[in-house]
Amino acid sequence: MPNTGKQPLHLRGKQPNKFSANYPFWAVSPKRPGRVSAWPFFERELRDGCDRTRRIRLRPLSSQQNFFHYTGQVELNGQALTLEQIAAVSICGEHVTIARSVAPRMAASRKLIEQIVARDAVVYGVNTGFGKLSDVRVPVSELCQLQLNLVRSHACGIGPALSDPEVRAMMLLRANVLTLGFSGIRGKIIELLCEMLNRRVHPVVPEKGSVGASGDLAPLAHLALSVIGEGEASFEGQRMPSAEALGQAQLKPVQLEAKEGLALLNGTQAMHAVGGLALLRAKRLARVADVSGAMSLEALKGTPVAFDPRLQNARPHPGQRAVAEHLLSLMEGSEIRLSHLTDDPRVQDAYSLRCMPQVHGAVRGALAHCEDVLLIESASATDNPLVFLDNGDVISGGNFHGAPLALAFDYAAIAIADLMGMSERRTDRLVNPDKSEGLPAFLANRPGLESGFMIAHVAAASLVNEARVLAHPASVDNITTSGGKEDHVSMGMTSALKLRSIVDLAENLLAIELLVAAEGLDRRRPLKAGRGVERAYAAVRKVVPPLTQDRSLSGDIARLAGAIRHGDFDSGGNHS
C-alpha cells in the first residue's frame, strides 16, 4: 500500500448534533477553489481547485463556531462515512488509503474462505451457483471461472453512464465496507479499488438495471469488470477499454478467486452513491428555500410574526425551530417590514408564507432521517454470505437488500417535491395581480404590452408537476426475479435516480423564485429588505440584471440554478 506521507482525514472541533440543520454543509464554487462542492457534476476546474488545496475549511451552517478541517487524505477502516467525506473523495479527489489496522482481520477472513475451499465444504457463493442455481455444486477446479462468469453475466447495465463523482462514491463505499473483514476478499483487491480512485480510473457504469435486492448487482458488476481488466473505464477524461485505462495508470487487473466476485457485487453502494450525492444537494436546497421564501415574503410585504420563537417552542420540532430562526435572521433590520407595521388590514399571511417553518422544517427532518440511514449503511457489511471470525461461521442472510435506502430516498424525494410546491405557490403570489399586494401584474414594466414573468411561473408549474410524478415511491413496487428466489426487491436504485432528478428540478424551481422575488424587491425600492435578504438579492443581481423589458429568461434561470449549486446563497442570515 503506497505511503504518501499525508495525514488521514480528521474532524476537529465540537461535533454537530444529530439534526441535519446543524450538520456541516458545503459552500461551493469552482470560482473559489478552496470551497468544497456538493454539486455532483464533475468539473475539471473544481477538481483541480480542490487538488491545489491540501487543507479545506468547511463552514458549518449553524450558529456553532466550529470548523471541520480536511487534511488531504481519507483513511478507510470500515468506519461510518459522512456525506461530506464521501464528497471530498468523489468530487474533490481526496486521496484514499487503507488503515493498517484492518489488514489482520481481512487476512483472517480470507484464510477462512481458503480453508472452506480446501476441505470442500458447501458454502453458498463459494462453491455453488447463485440465486435459483444455488443448489448446483461447482468443483474446486472451476471456482475462479465461477466468479469470472458471475461478473460477466451480471454486467447488464442499461442507459447513460453514471457521472464520475457517482462512480467514485460507489468505489469508495464498496472499498470501505470490504475492510470490515466480513467478505473474505483479499486485501489486494481493495487496494486496487483505492488506487483506481487515486489515479482516477473510473469504471463506466450504466445507471439502469438494478432492482436493489441482492444489492446493486448490475452496476457493481460493471465496477468489478474494470477491476479484472474488462469492460470500459475512463482515464484522464477519455473513455477506453478498462485494461488500457489500468495500464495507462500503471495498475494491473486482478484475477478473482473463490467468493471474490460475489463480494464485489453484493451491496447497496450504487444506490448509496447516487442517492447520497443527491441528498447532499437536497440539504442545500432546504436552506436555499428559506432564503427564497424570505425574499418572497418581503416582496409581498408579509409578516414575520408567525416565526416568533414562542410559537415554535410550543411545537418543538427541531427543523421547525431552525427554519424559524433562519427566517428571522434573514429579515433582521427590514425597512419593508417597518413600512407596514401599523394600519395593515391583513391579519395573517397565506400558508406558503406563514407555514414555512412547519413545512421547510419537516423537509429538514426527512433529509436528516435519510442521512442517518446512509451513515449507518456506509459502515455496514452488505455482502452475502458473511464470514464471522469469532467462531468461523459463514452465514447466508439478506444484508444486501436495499429497503432501508429505498424507503429513505423515497421519503427525501417526497419532501423535496413538497418543498417545491411551497416555492411555486409563493412565485404565483408574486406574479398574480390578485395576490401580489400592489405589485404590477406579472412584474412586467408595461403589463399587456409585456408579459414579464408570466411564463416563468408556467415553467415553475411544469417542474412541480414533473417532480410530483417522480415522487411516487419506487419502493412500493415489487417484481419477483431470479426464478422466484428473489421474490421481494427494493427498487432502491430507482429511488435514488428519481431523487437525483427531483433535486435537478428543485434547483431550477428555486432559481425561478429567486429571480421573481428579486424583481419584487426592486418594486419596493427605496425600502430595503432584511440584511440577509439583501445579501441574497445582491447574489441574484450578480448573475441576473433587473427586467427592464421582456427577454428570454431561460439563461437567467440556468445561471441562478448554477449559482445555487455553487453555494452563492448559502451565506444569507444566521447559519441555522
Side-chain angles (χ1 to χ4, degrees):
M1 202 177 313
N3 184 355
T4 63
K6 299 178 182 178
Q7 296 300 311
L9 179 149
H10 296 287
L11 297 179
R12 297 200 299 220
K14 182 180 178 183
Q15 292 296 311
N17 66 32
K18 185 178 179 181
F19 183 64
S20 69
N22 292 322
Y23 269 49
F25 206 73
W26 296 20
V28 255
S29 173
K31 302 172 186 175
R32 298 184 289 279
R35 302 173 72 187
V36 187
S37 177
W39 183 27
F41 305 108
F42 201 61
E43 291 194 352
R44 181 176 296 274
E45 57 183 316
L46 174 58
R47 181 190 67 191
D48 292 346
C50 292
D51 287 343
R52 289 194 299 270
T53 307
R54 289 278 303 279
R55 193 181 190 87
I56 301 171
R57 178 162 162 160
L58 304 182
R59 182 183 59 221
L61 297 186
S62 74
S63 57
Q64 303 173 55
Q65 294 303 309
N66 59 310
F67 290 87
F68 291 75
H69 298 272
Y70 286 92
T71 54
Q73 182 167 295
V74 177
E75 186 178 73
L76 302 182
N77 61 13
Q79 80 281 19
L81 295 174
T82 67
L83 296 178
E84 289 78 18
Q85 289 171 300
I86 294 168
V89 173
S90 65
I91 295 171
C92 280
E94 291 295 284
H95 195 83
V96 179
T97 62
I98 302 171
R100 292 193 179 120
S101 61
V102 307
R105 70 188 184 216
M106 289 194 300
S109 175
R110 182 61 200 170
K111 183 177 180 181
L112 191 57
I113 295 298
E114 292 171 350
Q115 290 171 347
I116 289 170
V117 172
R119 65 175 186 267
D120 203 23
V122 180
V123 174
Y124 171 74
V126 175
N127 48 21
T128 73
F130 306 100
K132 182 72 171 177
L133 303 175
S134 59
D135 295 333
V136 178
R137 283 288 307 274
V138 178
V140 173
S141 61
E142 294 182 314
L143 294 187
C144 291
Q145 187 65 43
L146 172 69
Q147 300 301 312
L148 181 60
N149 290 347
L150 173 72
V151 171
R152 288 172 172 170
S153 66
H154 284 49
C156 289
I158 301 159
L162 296 175
S163 67
D164 282 349
E166 290 166 333
V167 172
R168 289 178 62 81
M170 182 169 65
M171 296 166 70
L172 173 73
L173 289 162
R174 194 72 200 131
N176 187 54
V177 298
L178 288 174
T179 66
L180 289 167
F182 290 107
S183 300
I185 194 170
R186 288 171 294 164
K188 66 183 294 184
I189 295 179
I190 309 172
E191 291 173 16
L192 178 58
L193 280 174
C194 291
E195 279 307 301
M196 289 171 69
L197 278 169
N198 294 335
R199 304 186 195 194
R200 293 183 170 83
V201 177
H202 304 139
V204 174
V205 180
E207 67 177 25
K208 300 184 188 299
S210 171
V211 296
S214 291
D216 291 312
L217 293 175
L220 286 167
H222 283 275
L223 184 155
L225 272 182
S226 289
V227 170
I228 63 175
E230 298 187 12
E232 289 186 301
S234 66
F235 178 66
E236 294 186 347
Q238 299 296 316
R239 184 165 168 168
M240 62 187 72
S242 293
E244 184 178 338
L246 291 171
Q248 290 191 27
Q250 298 183 337
L251 296 172
K252 294 182 179 179
V254 297
Q255 180 177 342
L256 299 177
E257 297 184 0
K259 195 185 179 295
E260 291 181 330
L262 188 61
L264 287 171
L265 267 61
N266 268 161
T268 58
Q269 286 69 44
M271 67 178 83
H272 190 161
V274 173
L277 291 179
L279 181 63
L280 197 56
R281 295 163 66 196
K283 286 176 59 181
R284 159 167 287 138
L285 292 177
R287 279 187 46 82
V288 174
D290 296 350
V291 175
S292 63
M295 288 182 69
S296 294
L297 187 142
E298 291 264 44
L300 291 166
K301 301 176 74 172
T303 174
V305 167
F307 313 146
D308 190 303
R310 292 170 293 180
L311 284 170
Q312 321 316 319
N313 291 336
R315 193 192 193 193
H317 290 290
Q320 177 177 330
R321 296 168 74 172
V323 170
E325 180 185 351
H326 189 203
L327 290 167
L328 287 173
S329 71
L330 288 164
M331 298 180 66
E332 188 175 353
S334 171
E335 296 175 1
I336 297 175
R337 170 58 181 156
L338 292 176
S339 72
H340 62 96
L341 196 57
T342 59
D343 300 325
D344 192 327
R346 296 171 298 170
V347 177
Q348 54 190 12
D349 290 321
Y351 287 1
S352 60
L353 301 170
R354 189 183 355 145
C355 296
M356 283 189 284
Q358 290 77 17
V359 177
H360 293 195
V363 170
R364 292 194 186 200
L367 301 184
H369 167 73
C370 188
E371 188 168 13
D372 287 343
V373 170
L374 295 186
L375 195 64
I376 294 170
E377 191 76 1
S378 69
S380 296
T382 53
D383 193 0
N384 182 56
L386 295 181
V387 178
F388 293 91
L389 298 177
D390 51 354
N391 55 13
D393 285 345
V394 180
I395 305 175
S396 290
N399 278 8
F400 47 62
H401 200 288
L405 278 68
L407 292 168
F409 291 146
D410 282 340
Y411 187 21
I414 291 168
I416 295 299
D418 197 33
L419 191 74
M420 292 175 66
M422 285 279 280
S423 172
E424 180 275 326
R425 287 293 80 204
R426 294 190 295 264
T427 298
D428 173 69
R429 301 192 79 83
L430 287 163
V431 300
N432 188 333
D434 296 331
K435 304 176 183 178
S436 62
E437 303 300 334
L439 294 173
F442 304 105
L443 294 171
N445 285 289
R446 299 176 65 186
L449 177 66
E450 299 176 356
S451 296
F453 293 91
M454 179 188 295
I455 306 305
H457 173 251
V458 172
S462 76
L463 297 178
V464 173
N465 171 257
E466 185 174 351
R468 287 173 177 167
V469 172
L470 290 170
H472 177 81
S475 56
V476 302
D477 192 20
N478 179 61
I479 298 176
T480 299
T481 61
S482 193
K485 179 72 75 171
E486 298 164 5
D487 61 353
H488 184 278
V489 301
S490 75
M491 300 299 181
M493 188 62 170
T494 305
S495 298
L497 291 168
K498 290 194 311 89
L499 176 60
R500 183 227 277 163
S501 296
I502 290 174
V503 169
D504 287 341
L505 297 170
E507 288 169 345
N508 284 279
L509 183 88
L510 291 178
I512 292 173
E513 184 180 6
L514 288 167
L515 179 68
V516 176
E519 195 72 25
L521 290 178
D522 284 332
R523 304 309 176 106
R524 301 301 185 190
R525 299 305 189 206
L527 296 176
K528 295 282 190 178
R531 287 187 285 274
V533 171
E534 287 293 337
R535 283 195 292 272
Y537 169 84
V540 172
R541 288 293 173 245
K542 281 183 180 178
V543 293
V544 174
L547 188 68
T548 57
Q549 60 184 11
D550 277 352
R551 64 171 184 261
S552 172
L553 298 176
S554 293
D556 295 347
I557 295 166
R559 284 190 294 275
L560 277 176
I564 290 171
R565 296 185 194 107
H566 298 162
D568 291 355
F569 297 94
D570 289 354
S571 59
N574 187 29
H575 299 309
S576 298

